[in-house]
Amino acid sequence: MTMTRNDDIRVRYAPSPTGKQHIGGARTALFNWAYARRHGGKFLLRIEDTDEGRSTREYETAILEGLAWLGLDWDEGPDIGGPHGPYRQSERYARYTEMAQLLEAKGAAYRCFCTTERLDQLREAQEKNKEKPAYDGKCRDLQPAERATRLAAGEPAVLRFKVPAGATSFTDLIRGEVVFQNKEVDDWVMVRADGTPIYNFAVVCDDVDMRITHVLRGEEHLTNTPKQILLYQALGLAFPTFGHLPLMLGTDGKKLSKRTGDTALQDYRDKGYPKKAIVNFLCLQGWALDGKTEVFGIDELVRNFDPTQVSKAGAVFDLDKFRWLAGEYLRKEPLEELFEHCAPYLVASGRVGREELVTRRAWLLQALALEKDRLHIYSELPERLTWAFAEDRAVVYSEAALINVRKQTDWKGTLSAYLEWLRPKLSDRVAKDALRDATKAWVAERKLKMPALFQPLRCALTGEAGGPDLFDSIELIGAERALVRLETALVRMA
Ligand code: GLU
């Protein structure tokens, strides 16, 4: 595929800092970033903090940090500035006022004095008549003199956009031709009575000023697009190319919510999903590399991302698949690196003291190596190692492991004979391969089936029905601890 360079492409990600970075927003950011990087364009960050009551600098900082952690970088933004700043809406109010005055002067917007009470009554009446709630245009055609008098008297007034008759259409990169009848679009409020701008208005002012060429954003914004396009038209400007990314759905087919999975990027990070797995999984939310390759990195996204190939259908956020993908990446990590990633969870579990990360490092690395193949996310390690940390006289036997033991005839006899045989053979240094071979020979000589010994042995040593190779496990805990576990099992494992 040929790489087209287009220095003119300017895209943006525009989060509202009113909460943690949503995982869906992270995908929007990633796709915009990839589009800019693929074509040598610019990727901007803009903070949409007009909701002053709910926006905080802490959220803003956390959002930026989260995006950088994912591996994204930006060419202009609130932290680094740029030629079209400021990049926080709260710092751009003077510009919105200017644009509002311009639109009012052009007759594209009008002052509306309707009180909340009147609007409430209007809505109630419309609902009663089964009509779609909409502003009835009472203030649309006020005489200029009346308007001036009421304004001069200090009567509160919002600024509404005067939606023209006709239809609004655009070609969406993902959805193709989209048409909205303007009569479905209300004369919406652009500026509140207190002078603060409303989202659809501020976004257009900013996208114009920041020379945005392509707007890739979530499908939930689709109904905002005709309002925004009408504004561009009122300003006599060409509008950007839009692409609405499919909603991310939970496995229940509904909008992603806490019920079917975590919704914040940070939650997945906190749980120890490898960063590359998060990026890869987000890529798969509505886009595919080639229809078959599921595991691929951010470079492949940049080399291949094409918004016209994004699917229209909702993307199912399948946590099982995410976990599987996490495991694929986790296992690719060199052991030392994986250890660094798992270490905080070992400490947080209370099973390993911070200083033990250093003093018992070799042992912990060995333990990690045993469990690596069964791990998916970093935080699973402490739980997976329950058996290794167990107090030797108090190994907890799982019901599944006990069932496997009870299936063996005279497990106690077998285990106790094996213990007598094993005791003199175990020394400080466990020669696990020789021990494995010798044990198999021991089983064969007695004409036993392997499970007759291995099931009770596994339960006695680990309390679990499955897990790493038993001789690796014995090597990890050492001869002394293994013997204590076997001896106590003869009494406890009934
Ligand atoms: N601030 C909007 C949001 O958080 C961004 C909308 C847009 O991209 O136009 O969804």
Side-chain angles (χ1 to χ4, degrees):
M1 196 170 285
T2 50
M3 270 276 288
T4 42
R5 273 197 75 79
N6 189 341
D7 296 334
D8 295 340
I9 286 184
R10 293 176 59 84
V11 292
R12 71 341 184 245
Y13 174 56
S16 302
T18 52
K20 291 184 186 174
Q21 173 62 65
H22 193 276
I23 191 84
R27 178 195 59 174
T28 302
L30 180 66
F31 285 1
N32 275 287
W33 172 85
Y35 191 54
R37 292 293 170 262
R38 180 170 184 212
H39 298 290
K42 296 276 187 277
F43 174 60
L44 283 68
L45 281 190
R46 178 173 74 227
I47 297 298
E48 304 210 321
D49 56 350
T50 52
D51 185 344
E52 288 173 16
R54 291 169 58 225
S55 299
T56 71
R57 273 300 163 93
E58 287 70 32
Y59 283 133
E60 176 188 314
T61 309
I63 289 170
L64 265 54
E65 197 270 335
L67 297 175
W69 178 79
L70 274 184
L72 308 190
D73 57 351
W74 41 96
D75 305 296
E76 297 169 31
D79 54 339
I80 52 171
H84 305 286
Y87 295 88
R88 269 185 209 101
Q89 289 187 329
S90 58
E91 294 164 12
R92 302 179 61 82
Y93 281 13
R95 181 69 180 134
Y96 304 139
T97 307
E98 203 175 277
M99 293 285 253
Q101 281 164 354
L102 177 73
L103 284 155
E104 198 183 348
K106 276 174 168 268
Y110 62 92
R111 298 295 188 130
C112 165
F113 300 92
C114 292
T115 59
T116 336
E117 295 74 52
R118 174 172 190 272
L119 295 173
D120 287 346
Q121 281 165 7
L122 179 65
R123 186 168 6 96
E124 276 165 33
Q126 286 166 335
E127 277 166 5
K128 227 191 203 140
N129 294 336
K130 307 243 175 312
E131 289 165 19
K132 196 174 151 218
Y135 181 59
D136 61 356
K138 181 166 189 281
C139 296
R140 219 179 203 242
D141 301 310
L142 286 184
Q143 290 306 312
E146 179 184 351
R147 189 179 302 135
T149 319
R150 292 173 77 171
L151 281 176
E155 203 177 320
V158 300
L159 185 70
R160 282 187 189 272
F161 184 72
K162 196 184 229 172
V163 176
T168 302
S169 63
F170 64 100
T171 310
D172 188 286
L173 284 175
I174 296 159
R175 320 176 73 81
E177 202 58 16
V178 181
V179 183
F180 284 92
Q181 296 306 318
N182 291 0
K183 63 177 185 313
E184 302 295 324
V185 185
D186 219 354
D187 276 359
W188 52 282
V189 175
M190 294 164 49
V191 182
R192 295 183 191 91
D194 66 1
T196 55
I198 297 282
Y199 160 74
N200 278 306
F201 171 54
V203 161
V204 171
C205 297
D206 296 344
D207 285 345
V208 167
D209 287 350
M210 295 175 187
R211 318 266 195 282
I212 297 303
T213 58
H214 295 72
V215 173
L216 299 179
R217 61 183 172 199
E219 192 185 316
E220 64 276 16
H221 287 292
L222 189 59
T223 51
N224 290 320
T225 304
K227 294 183 180 173
Q228 297 182 7
I229 288 178
L230 286 169
L231 256 182
Y232 282 96
Q233 289 171 342
L235 289 163
L237 297 171
F239 55 88
T241 304
F242 291 94
H244 291 88
L245 306 169
L247 291 181
M248 283 168 50
L249 306 174
T251 35
D252 58 0
K254 300 203 180 104
K255 197 165 178 244
L256 190 64
S257 74
K258 274 276 170 200
R259 259 175 304 113
T260 44
D262 291 307
T263 51
L265 170 63
Q266 187 67 37
D267 295 334
Y268 292 96
R269 198 173 157 185
D270 289 346
K271 284 193 173 149
Y273 281 71
K275 179 193 320 204
K276 289 180 180 164
I278 299 180
V279 168
N280 191 158
F281 187 66
L282 289 178
C283 291
L284 298 174
Q285 296 295 300
W287 186 73
L289 180 58
D290 53 15
K292 50 181 193 293
T293 315
E294 304 234 87
V295 184
F296 59 87
I298 201 164
D299 296 348
E300 289 294 320
L301 177 74
V302 171
R303 267 197 290 277
N304 296 283
F305 181 70
D306 175 356
T308 65
Q309 302 297 312
V310 171
S311 129
K312 268 196 286 235
V316 178
F317 195 89
D318 181 346
L319 266 185
D320 291 338
K321 185 162 176 186
F322 198 178
R323 223 176 137 257
W324 165 79
L325 202 54
E328 293 294 303
Y329 279 95
L330 179 146
R331 280 187 287 282
K332 280 190 205 156
E333 290 182 22
L335 198 63
E336 300 272 340
E337 183 186 322
L338 180 56
F339 181 69
E340 295 312 318
H341 286 142
C342 294
Y345 300 99
L346 288 171
V347 174
S349 73
R351 287 178 170 157
V352 177
R354 201 167 286 282
E355 62 297 340
E356 286 177 294
L357 290 177
V358 180
T359 56
R360 296 181 72 197
R361 185 178 174 87
W363 187 83
L364 290 168
L365 278 169
Q366 193 184 343
L368 173 61
L370 289 196
E371 292 293 351
K372 188 174 174 182
D373 286 348
R374 276 167 299 276
L375 287 181
H376 295 91
I377 56 179
Y378 307 134
S379 60
E380 284 170 354
L381 184 63
E383 172 71 25
R384 292 284 339 156
L385 283 176
T386 301
W387 66 271
F389 290 114
E391 156 67 67
D392 298 314
R393 293 174 190 282
V395 173
V396 179
Y397 308 131
S398 78
E399 197 43 41
L402 287 172
I403 288 171
N404 288 343
V405 171
R406 289 185 203 119
K407 279 189 208 144
Q408 317 306 326
T409 359
D410 191 25
W411 64 264
K412 215 179 246 188
T414 311
L415 193 60
S416 111
Y418 179 71
L419 177 60
E420 290 323 306
W421 172 86
L422 181 67
R423 208 190 298 275
K425 290 197 170 45
L426 276 185
S427 62
D428 281 354
R429 283 194 59 80
V430 178
K432 64 175 178 193
D433 295 327
L435 185 59
R436 186 183 298 110
D437 293 344
T439 300
K440 285 184 180 157
W442 184 91
V443 174
E445 271 162 35
R446 278 154 191 80
K447 306 221 170 349
L448 294 170
K449 294 220 164 67
M450 290 299 168
L453 172 67
F454 282 83
Q455 293 293 8
L457 196 55
R458 178 172 293 285
C459 184
L461 289 170
T462 71
E464 292 170 15
D469 175 85
L470 279 181
F471 300 92
D472 284 343
S473 306
I474 294 177
E475 182 190 48
L476 180 73
I477 59 174
E480 202 176 315
R481 295 181 66 193
L483 288 175
V484 174
R485 290 184 183 208
L486 294 185
E487 276 154 15
T488 49
L490 287 171
V491 187
R492 293 180 57 233
M493 211 169 68

PDB file of all heavy atoms in Angstrom, residues 464-480:
ATOM      1  N   GLU A 464      -4.162 -27.945  44.784  1.00  0.00           N
ATOM      2  CA  GLU A 464      -4.918 -27.589  43.584  1.00  0.00           C
ATOM      3  C   GLU A 464      -5.067 -28.778  42.642  1.00  0.00           C
ATOM      4  O   GLU A 464      -4.285 -29.719  42.683  1.00  0.00           O
ATOM      5  CB  GLU A 464      -4.217 -26.428  42.871  1.00  0.00           C
ATOM      6  CG  GLU A 464      -4.310 -25.146  43.692  1.00  0.00           C
ATOM      7  CD  GLU A 464      -3.438 -24.020  43.172  1.00  0.00           C
ATOM      8  OE1 GLU A 464      -2.971 -24.122  42.019  1.00  0.00           O
ATOM      9  OE2 GLU A 464      -3.217 -23.071  43.933  1.00  0.00           O
ATOM     10  N   ALA A 465      -6.056 -28.679  41.778  1.00  0.00           N
ATOM     11  CA  ALA A 465      -6.314 -29.781  40.847  1.00  0.00           C
ATOM     12  C   ALA A 465      -5.426 -29.696  39.610  1.00  0.00           C
ATOM     13  O   ALA A 465      -5.276 -30.659  38.877  1.00  0.00           O
ATOM     14  CB  ALA A 465      -7.779 -29.761  40.432  1.00  0.00           C
ATOM     15  N   GLY A 466      -4.866 -28.535  39.366  1.00  0.00           N
ATOM     16  CA  GLY A 466      -3.985 -28.364  38.204  1.00  0.00           C
ATOM     17  C   GLY A 466      -2.905 -27.381  38.564  1.00  0.00           C
ATOM     18  O   GLY A 466      -2.971 -26.747  39.614  1.00  0.00           O
ATOM     19  N   GLY A 467      -1.938 -27.240  37.689  1.00  0.00           N
ATOM     20  CA  GLY A 467      -0.884 -26.274  37.970  1.00  0.00           C
ATOM     21  C   GLY A 467       0.399 -26.681  37.298  1.00  0.00           C
ATOM     22  O   GLY A 467       0.394 -27.549  36.420  1.00  0.00           O
ATOM     23  N   PRO A 468       1.486 -26.069  37.703  1.00  0.00           N
ATOM     24  CA  PRO A 468       2.762 -26.356  37.050  1.00  0.00           C
ATOM     25  C   PRO A 468       3.222 -27.801  37.293  1.00  0.00           C
ATOM     26  O   PRO A 468       2.666 -28.506  38.143  1.00  0.00           O
ATOM     27  CB  PRO A 468       3.741 -25.373  37.688  1.00  0.00           C
ATOM     28  CG  PRO A 468       3.023 -24.673  38.762  1.00  0.00           C
ATOM     29  CD  PRO A 468       1.599 -25.066  38.748  1.00  0.00           C
ATOM     30  N   ASP A 469       4.213 -28.201  36.568  1.00  0.00           N
ATOM     31  CA  ASP A 469       4.814 -29.524  36.736  1.00  0.00           C
ATOM     32  C   ASP A 469       5.172 -29.735  38.212  1.00  0.00           C
ATOM     33  O   ASP A 469       5.713 -28.849  38.879  1.00  0.00           O
ATOM     34  CB  ASP A 469       6.086 -29.588  35.868  1.00  0.00           C
ATOM     35  CG  ASP A 469       6.843 -30.879  36.084  1.00  0.00           C
ATOM     36  OD1 ASP A 469       6.493 -31.867  35.428  1.00  0.00           O
ATOM     37  OD2 ASP A 469       7.778 -30.893  36.935  1.00  0.00           O
ATOM     38  N   LEU A 470       4.847 -30.947  38.722  1.00  0.00           N
ATOM     39  CA  LEU A 470       5.016 -31.199  40.156  1.00  0.00           C
ATOM     40  C   LEU A 470       6.459 -31.146  40.611  1.00  0.00           C
ATOM     41  O   LEU A 470       6.759 -30.726  41.725  1.00  0.00           O
ATOM     42  CB  LEU A 470       4.434 -32.571  40.495  1.00  0.00           C
ATOM     43  CG  LEU A 470       2.927 -32.572  40.670  1.00  0.00           C
ATOM     44  CD1 LEU A 470       2.445 -33.958  41.035  1.00  0.00           C
ATOM     45  CD2 LEU A 470       2.537 -31.568  41.761  1.00  0.00           C
ATOM     46  N   PHE A 471       7.361 -31.573  39.745  1.00  0.00           N
ATOM     47  CA  PHE A 471       8.764 -31.599  40.171  1.00  0.00           C
ATOM     48  C   PHE A 471       9.379 -30.206  40.119  1.00  0.00           C
ATOM     49  O   PHE A 471      10.252 -29.876  40.907  1.00  0.00           O
ATOM     50  CB  PHE A 471       9.522 -32.671  39.372  1.00  0.00           C
ATOM     51  CG  PHE A 471       8.894 -34.011  39.614  1.00  0.00           C
ATOM     52  CD1 PHE A 471       7.889 -34.493  38.776  1.00  0.00           C
ATOM     53  CD2 PHE A 471       9.210 -34.730  40.764  1.00  0.00           C
ATOM     54  CE1 PHE A 471       7.246 -35.691  39.050  1.00  0.00           C
ATOM     55  CE2 PHE A 471       8.559 -35.931  41.038  1.00  0.00           C
ATOM     56  CZ  PHE A 471       7.575 -36.419  40.190  1.00  0.00           C
ATOM     57  N   ASP A 472       8.848 -29.380  39.218  1.00  0.00           N
ATOM     58  CA  ASP A 472       9.216 -27.954  39.243  1.00  0.00           C
ATOM     59  C   ASP A 472       8.723 -27.342  40.550  1.00  0.00           C
ATOM     60  O   ASP A 472       9.404 -26.524  41.173  1.00  0.00           O
ATOM     61  CB  ASP A 472       8.544 -27.202  38.089  1.00  0.00           C
ATOM     62  CG  ASP A 472       9.229 -27.466  36.755  1.00  0.00           C
ATOM     63  OD1 ASP A 472      10.377 -27.949  36.754  1.00  0.00           O
ATOM     64  OD2 ASP A 472       8.599 -27.199  35.711  1.00  0.00           O
ATOM     65  N   SER A 473       7.524 -27.764  40.953  1.00  0.00           N
ATOM     66  CA  SER A 473       6.942 -27.215  42.183  1.00  0.00           C
ATOM     67  C   SER A 473       7.767 -27.643  43.399  1.00  0.00           C
ATOM     68  O   SER A 473       8.016 -26.849  44.313  1.00  0.00           O
ATOM     69  CB  SER A 473       5.504 -27.690  42.356  1.00  0.00           C
ATOM     70  OG  SER A 473       4.758 -27.387  41.216  1.00  0.00           O
ATOM     71  N   ILE A 474       8.189 -28.924  43.403  1.00  0.00           N
ATOM     72  CA  ILE A 474       9.006 -29.407  44.528  1.00  0.00           C
ATOM     73  C   ILE A 474      10.329 -28.643  44.565  1.00  0.00           C
ATOM     74  O   ILE A 474      10.787 -28.202  45.619  1.00  0.00           O
ATOM     75  CB  ILE A 474       9.259 -30.927  44.399  1.00  0.00           C
ATOM     76  CG1 ILE A 474       7.935 -31.691  44.561  1.00  0.00           C
ATOM     77  CG2 ILE A 474      10.293 -31.400  45.440  1.00  0.00           C
ATOM     78  CD1 ILE A 474       8.042 -33.194  44.390  1.00  0.00           C
ATOM     79  N   GLU A 475      10.892 -28.445  43.398  1.00  0.00           N
ATOM     80  CA  GLU A 475      12.161 -27.708  43.336  1.00  0.00           C
ATOM     81  C   GLU A 475      11.977 -26.301  43.906  1.00  0.00           C
ATOM     82  O   GLU A 475      12.815 -25.790  44.641  1.00  0.00           O
ATOM     83  CB  GLU A 475      12.635 -27.627  41.890  1.00  0.00           C
ATOM     84  CG  GLU A 475      13.966 -26.907  41.750  1.00  0.00           C
ATOM     85  CD  GLU A 475      14.312 -26.624  40.295  1.00  0.00           C
ATOM     86  OE1 GLU A 475      13.451 -26.113  39.552  1.00  0.00           O
ATOM     87  OE2 GLU A 475      15.458 -26.895  39.917  1.00  0.00           O
ATOM     88  N   LEU A 476      10.838 -25.686  43.584  1.00  0.00           N
ATOM     89  CA  LEU A 476      10.609 -24.306  44.035  1.00  0.00           C
ATOM     90  C   LEU A 476      10.484 -24.233  45.551  1.00  0.00           C
ATOM     91  O   LEU A 476      11.119 -23.396  46.189  1.00  0.00           O
ATOM     92  CB  LEU A 476       9.344 -23.727  43.380  1.00  0.00           C
ATOM     93  CG  LEU A 476       9.032 -22.288  43.797  1.00  0.00           C
ATOM     94  CD1 LEU A 476      10.019 -21.316  43.151  1.00  0.00           C
ATOM     95  CD2 LEU A 476       7.608 -21.903  43.452  1.00  0.00           C
ATOM     96  N   ILE A 477       9.665 -25.103  46.131  1.00  0.00           N
ATOM     97  CA  ILE A 477       9.483 -24.974  47.589  1.00  0.00           C
ATOM     98  C   ILE A 477      10.611 -25.652  48.353  1.00  0.00           C
ATOM     99  O   ILE A 477      10.840 -25.369  49.524  1.00  0.00           O
ATOM    100  CB  ILE A 477       8.086 -25.478  48.059  1.00  0.00           C
ATOM    101  CG1 ILE A 477       7.868 -26.946  47.699  1.00  0.00           C
ATOM    102  CG2 ILE A 477       6.970 -24.612  47.519  1.00  0.00           C
ATOM    103  CD1 ILE A 477       6.566 -27.499  48.277  1.00  0.00           C
ATOM    104  N   GLY A 478      11.329 -26.563  47.708  1.00  0.00           N
ATOM    105  CA  GLY A 478      12.477 -27.205  48.352  1.00  0.00           C
ATOM    106  C   GLY A 478      12.075 -28.480  49.080  1.00  0.00           C
ATOM    107  O   GLY A 478      10.903 -28.691  49.416  1.00  0.00           O
ATOM    108  N   ALA A 479      13.079 -29.311  49.325  1.00  0.00           N
ATOM    109  CA  ALA A 479      12.853 -30.651  49.876  1.00  0.00           C
ATOM    110  C   ALA A 479      12.152 -30.605  51.222  1.00  0.00           C
ATOM    111  O   ALA A 479      11.167 -31.312  51.472  1.00  0.00           O
ATOM    112  CB  ALA A 479      14.188 -31.370  50.012  1.00  0.00           C
ATOM    113  N   GLU A 480      12.651 -29.757  52.089  1.00  0.00           N
ATOM    114  CA  GLU A 480      12.145 -29.734  53.458  1.00  0.00           C
ATOM    115  C   GLU A 480      10.654 -29.410  53.507  1.00  0.00           C
ATOM    116  O   GLU A 480       9.863 -30.118  54.125  1.00  0.00           O
ATOM    117  CB  GLU A 480      12.928 -28.673  54.220  1.00  0.00           C
ATOM    118  CG  GLU A 480      12.916 -28.882  55.701  1.00  0.00           C
ATOM    119  CD  GLU A 480      13.794 -27.834  56.368  1.00  0.00           C
ATOM    120  OE1 GLU A 480      14.919 -27.589  55.862  1.00  0.00           O
ATOM    121  OE2 GLU A 480      13.325 -27.236  57.345  1.00  0.00           O
TER     122      GLU A 480
END
